[in-house]
Amino acid sequence: MRLLSLNVGRARTSGDRPGHEGAFADGLASGIDKRPVPGPVAVAAPGPKGTAGSGLAGDAVVSLRHHGGNDQAVYAFAREDLDDWERALGRPLPHGAFGENLTTLGVDVNGARIGERWRIGTDLLLEVTSPRIPCRVFADWLGESGWIRRFTQEAAPGAYLRVIQPGEIRAGDPITVVHRPAHEVTVSYAFRALTTDQPLRAGLLAAGDALHPELLEKALAYRERQNRATGRPKTRPEAGEGSREGVPSTNVPV
């Protein structure tokens, strides 16, 4: 398992890249156009969502309301999944084509469990927090008709990760899974719970506070609605295998 490509981007508008004119509404900028760099690139927790962007030095995040922050510091997508989409779409998809920071090889990104930890290179330690949810900008950038529906049906969205221990990485660095929680809440499961199969949301709670806080809030709200519907008393989440309670995190506020 290794980091095949390390990708960063700057804020771009529709006129910045030939062949993509009209990809975005006039005046709209996006950081989705990620391009490979050899590195090294420093990776650290950027700060709270809404005020901070990417965890990678030199990588732009434009819409801070929807992207970036500590729990979405890094986005990973498997080269194997890009290859599948190349065949399905009949077009080349270079590293970074889906806006991912890390293009991995040999890593089951969508089968990764929430709270799973990856060591990349010598120092960097990341923790899986949530799936990527496709947006209108993603669809416009790809220029594929019905893209959001098609991407959603595949349920292979790639993973967001938070930074537990900062470090420098470069293309070719090994990726090692150093912790895999005992629960079964994978990236793909979480994606389906948020999109096509809402009853799965209650199961997200098995991942505890390793979940992205926004996912945890959705899961708790769903359980409370179910409890009210059945007349059960309110309950609070318990620290489980997926929880970060008692696990030191030197770089991410809990």
Side-chain angles (χ1 to χ4, degrees), residues 6-9 37 40-44 46 54-60 73-74 101 167-168:
L6 176 62
N7 316 302
V8 301
V37 294
V41 172
V43 184
S54 174
L56 281 74
D59 183 46
V74 180
N101 300 118
E168 287 189 340

Side-chain angles (χ1 to χ4, degrees), residues 62 66 69 79 86-87 97-98 141 145 151-152 199 203 210 222 237 245-246:
V62 175
H66 299 291
R79 182 65 244 181
E86 277 194 342
R87 289 186 287 270
F98 280 11
W141 182 247
S145 178
F151 187 84
T152 299
Y222 180 83
E245 182 175 320

